[in-house]
Amino acid sequence: MTDPAPAPDPLKNAAPDVDQAKAAETGADRGPAGEEIDVGADYDERAPNEIELPPDLRPKRRGRGPEEESEVEPVGRKDRGKVLSFLRACVDELGRVQWPDRKHVFQATAVVLGFVVVAGVWLGLMDALWQPLINALL
């Protein structure tokens, strides 16, 4: 019988904080003169909205110049009214919905009705059990 393959390292693709902690434990975060080395410096810690996009992927802007604040125009859409744009987005979103088939609708309905029956029986039993005590107190 051969030995199974070794288990993969769970921290192999971990975040920079884990790499820094491992380096601190082993002393690898110190240089030869004892100065601290930033082992997480090669990671890009900028927020996604701070990352520069190539010019062909940047949204088109309205306005006279870059120094002026301007609204972002959606790429590939004609300038329409807000209501028509909203309705078009609703239709697009409904087209992406994965609608259930008859079998799934039947199963979900059966589950809901089953829970309603169970809850009704439970509440009926509790009412029948506690009603004499409540009537005696009142």
Side-chain angles (χ1 to χ4, degrees):
M1 182 174 212
T2 61
D3 290 327
D9 182 17
L11 302 178
K12 180 179 178 187
N13 297 322
D17 297 336
V18 176
D19 294 339
Q20 288 176 348
K22 280 179 147 179
E25 287 175 357
T26 60
D29 62 338
R30 301 269 175 209
E35 73 275 4
E36 189 170 328
I37 300 173
D38 185 12
V39 294
D42 59 339
Y43 292 97
D44 192 3
E45 295 179 354
R46 294 182 294 174
N49 58 355
E50 295 175 356
I51 296 174
E52 191 77 23
L53 290 174
D56 57 333
L57 294 179
R58 290 184 193 151
K60 297 178 184 175
R61 298 188 176 272
R62 295 183 207 151
R64 294 191 184 114
E67 65 279 345
E68 203 178 282
E69 278 193 39
S70 60
E71 295 180 18
V72 175
E73 179 182 331
V75 178
R77 294 277 187 201
K78 295 179 182 175
D79 191 22
R80 298 179 183 160
K82 290 181 180 180
V83 174
L84 288 177
S85 295
F86 174 75
L87 292 175
R88 179 66 183 161
C90 289
V91 169
D92 289 344
E93 191 65 29
L94 286 174
R96 290 186 210 116
V97 172
Q98 184 177 0
W99 298 100
D101 58 357
R102 183 178 296 271
K103 177 183 173 187
H104 288 105
V105 171
F106 179 76
Q107 287 176 345
T109 304
V111 168
V112 169
L113 291 177
F115 276 112
V116 167
V117 168
V118 169
V121 168
W122 174 257
L123 290 174
L125 283 174
M126 290 297 110
D127 184 47
L129 290 174
W130 288 97
Q131 187 177 9
L133 179 64
I134 298 299
N135 286 338
L137 289 175
L138 294 177

